[in-house]
Amino acid sequence: MWSYFANPDRFDHLARRALPICAGVSFLLFAIGLPWALIFSPPDYQQSESVRIMYVHVPAAWLAMFAYAGLGASSFVYFVWRHNVADVAAQAIAPLGAAFAFLCLVTGSLWGKPMWGAWWVWDARLTSMLVLFLLYLGYMALRGAIEDEKLAARSAAILAMAGLVNLPIIKFSVDWWNSLHQAASVFRFDGPTIDASQLWPLLIMALAFTFLYLTLTLMRMRTVIVEKRAASLERRLEAQGVNL
Amino acid sequence: MRKSNRRLWMIGVGALVLVGASALAVTALRDAMVFFYAPGEIAENPPAVGERIRVGGLVVAGSVSLPARGGANFTITDGLGDIAVSYEGSLPDLFREGQGIVAEGAFDEARVFRADTVLAKHDENYMPPEVADALKKSGLWNENGEHRYGSQDGEDVGASEPYEGSRP
């Protein structure tokens, strides 16, 4: 099954059709979710209007983790079966995941100051999320630092897979240790502890973020494939003695 | 053995070692990675006088006194122990009775916790003010922060109490 998608041409064909759909769905969901979350949803009984930061913070955090799962999975497929499209996916996902992690950290900090009374604390949840951000940066730095492309891809894949261990730590950090960060409100065994009038806009925003992520991933993957082709063409021409 | 199978085995063994190592590290760091100690933990394992730590718990209702010179004195609890806290400084907006807070400082000789920082801990409950008011009215509200919005026990009580009274 993997080899079916491993063909860059077949991928390109698929991506070209999936792209406008993902982009359209994302736009539609943002058009509903943004006004609902930022204007029409009720204020919180304790946080009042500051609760609206949550509608960006929580989807950003989810997507940062979801993207990392994608980075780990594509690194795994590339490392074991050496399918190039999987490596392209990993390469495309890394900066997007980093951006989501960064957005999560910044919005969290903006919320923390008025609510907790501190921009930043070294509790387990915040620290493990910072580690996730640094893992993304480390992945990109490692890829950029090694000249040999195949070696760079393999080394970065190992780093990405090892970093997967951080995902359950982020998720359960608030249960395993006393932390300042609150426990989970949505994905918990006894059901959400967030009112439906706030849960729905949150879920719409999360879906909008997800489709935005898919759109950007496909776009970046296509770009990376074209870049690789251009580079290999250049090399071939240079080998033939053509001066560029 | 095919090359891809060999790589699969490599990853499998690597993952086992990594997960094992992380599990050990997480267990070993259990104490180092807690952001604060609960009053129950403090009672079991009292820290030395003057040792800088963070303690966290719910502000006991009726325990807050605001001296004229500023700051606040209050007691925090986790149901297993109490800690008297004396704080000089301005309180965060979310500070109130029944609220979870984290205080940073040290115990003095009288076992009073002298805090120089107080952080308000927000819990995982999100709801509009109207819902909070309705819950308070129907008697489902628990000021100690143990209230679970929409959880099983909450719904059970909710189904039996408010509706029976209004039936003709």
Side-chain angles (χ1 to χ4, degrees):
Chain A
M1 191 208 98
W2 288 116
S3 39
Y4 180 84
F5 294 106
N7 181 331
D9 286 325
R10 212 171 280 141
F11 166 78
D12 201 62
H13 185 71
L14 216 89
R16 222 180 305 176
R17 271 195 281 178
L19 250 175
I21 300 173
C22 288
V25 171
S26 172
F27 181 81
L28 201 77
L29 287 170
F30 270 119
I32 302 169
L34 275 175
W36 192 355
L38 299 184
I39 301 166
F40 299 113
S41 73
D44 188 70
Y45 78 113
Q46 278 201 322
Q47 312 162 57
S48 66
E49 303 293 338
S50 304
V51 73
R52 302 190 194 285
I53 296 175
M54 183 260 297
Y55 298 110
V56 176
H57 174 73
V58 171
W62 285 347
L63 261 291
M65 293 173 73
F66 180 67
Y68 199 89
L71 178 66
S74 12
S75 295
F76 175 77
V77 171
Y78 173 73
F79 192 84
V80 175
W81 294 286
R82 296 288 141 89
H83 288 329
N84 285 325
V85 175
D87 182 47
V88 168
Q91 219 175 329
I93 289 170
L96 297 174
F100 283 123
F102 184 71
L103 187 62
C104 167
L105 291 170
V106 169
T107 51
S109 185
L110 290 175
W111 182 88
K113 186 61 187 170
M115 290 299 123
W116 291 339
W119 296 106
W120 180 265
V121 293
W122 291 101
D123 91 339
R125 170 58 71 82
L126 277 68
T127 308
S128 55
M129 200 64 202
L130 180 66
V131 168
L132 183 74
F133 178 59
L134 294 177
L135 274 170
Y136 279 123
L137 294 192
Y139 178 91
M140 290 188 280
L142 187 59
R143 269 203 101 112
I146 302 175
E147 193 95 10
D148 180 353
E149 250 183 65
K150 295 260 179 245
L151 183 65
R154 281 203 298 273
S155 323
I158 293 175
L159 172 69
M161 286 187 287
L164 282 173
V165 120
N166 192 32
L167 288 186
I169 295 182
I170 296 176
K171 166 70 187 151
F172 295 110
S173 55
V174 286
D175 304 325
W176 291 344
W177 299 288
N178 292 336
S179 62
L180 186 60
H181 194 285
Q182 57 265 47
S185 293
V186 180
F187 295 117
R188 46 186 298 144
F189 289 117
D190 53 359
T193 55
I194 169 169
D195 190 69
S197 61
Q198 295 163 316
L199 181 59
W200 278 111
L202 175 63
L203 292 180
I204 301 273
M205 284 296 281
L207 267 180
F209 267 70
T210 309
F211 277 94
L212 176 69
Y213 162 73
L214 291 177
T215 310
L216 294 175
T217 304
L218 289 176
M219 279 169 77
R220 272 192 53 79
M221 282 177 74
R222 291 188 66 200
T223 312
V224 171
I225 289 175
V226 170
E227 272 174 3
K228 284 199 166 163
R229 271 197 193 143
S232 82
L233 272 177
E234 248 173 61
R235 273 198 301 274
R236 212 181 302 165
L237 285 173
E238 261 168 31
Q240 288 170 6
V242 178
N243 218 342
L244 290 169
Chain B
M1 200 192 280
R2 280 177 60 193
K3 264 191 179 168
S4 61
N5 283 346
R6 207 176 58 207
R7 287 196 287 263
L8 261 178
W9 275 103
M10 253 163 67
I11 292 178
V13 173
L16 264 178
V17 171
L18 189 68
V19 167
S22 315
L24 284 176
V26 161
T27 328
L29 285 173
R30 252 204 137 85
D31 287 333
M33 280 189 60
V34 296
F35 189 66
F36 60 85
Y37 297 102
E41 293 163 342
I42 297 282
E44 254 174 50
N45 207 346
V49 170
E51 187 189 343
R52 270 193 75 79
I53 52 165
R54 277 184 290 247
V55 297
L58 300 166
V59 179
V60 176
S63 73
V64 183
S65 70
L66 302 166
R69 60 183 161 77
N73 298 315
F74 53 89
T75 308
I76 58 172
T77 184
D78 64 346
L80 299 170
D82 294 330
I83 296 175
V85 181
S86 167
Y87 171 59
E88 323 263 323
S90 58
L91 294 164
D93 290 354
L94 280 183
F95 184 93
R96 67 191 64 151
E97 292 175 354
Q99 177 73 37
I101 62 110
V102 175
E104 201 172 335
F107 281 101
D108 64 8
E109 282 81 7
R111 303 309 291 173
V112 171
F113 193 78
R114 300 268 162 202
D116 45 43
T117 310
V118 168
L119 301 169
K121 184 168 157 49
H122 188 260
D123 63 21
E124 65 272 33
N125 297 311
Y126 290 74
M127 66 187 93
E130 305 86 66
V131 176
D133 288 344
L135 282 171
K136 278 176 189 159
K137 230 177 266 170
S138 65
L140 291 177
W141 193 261
N142 181 344
E143 268 304 337
N144 275 335
E146 288 302 310
H147 161 77
R148 285 267 177 280
Y149 181 73
S151 74
Q152 219 98 56
D153 22 345
E155 267 162 14
D156 287 346
V157 184
S160 58
E161 273 185 356
Y163 294 107
E164 240 152 63
S166 59
R167 248 176 234 142

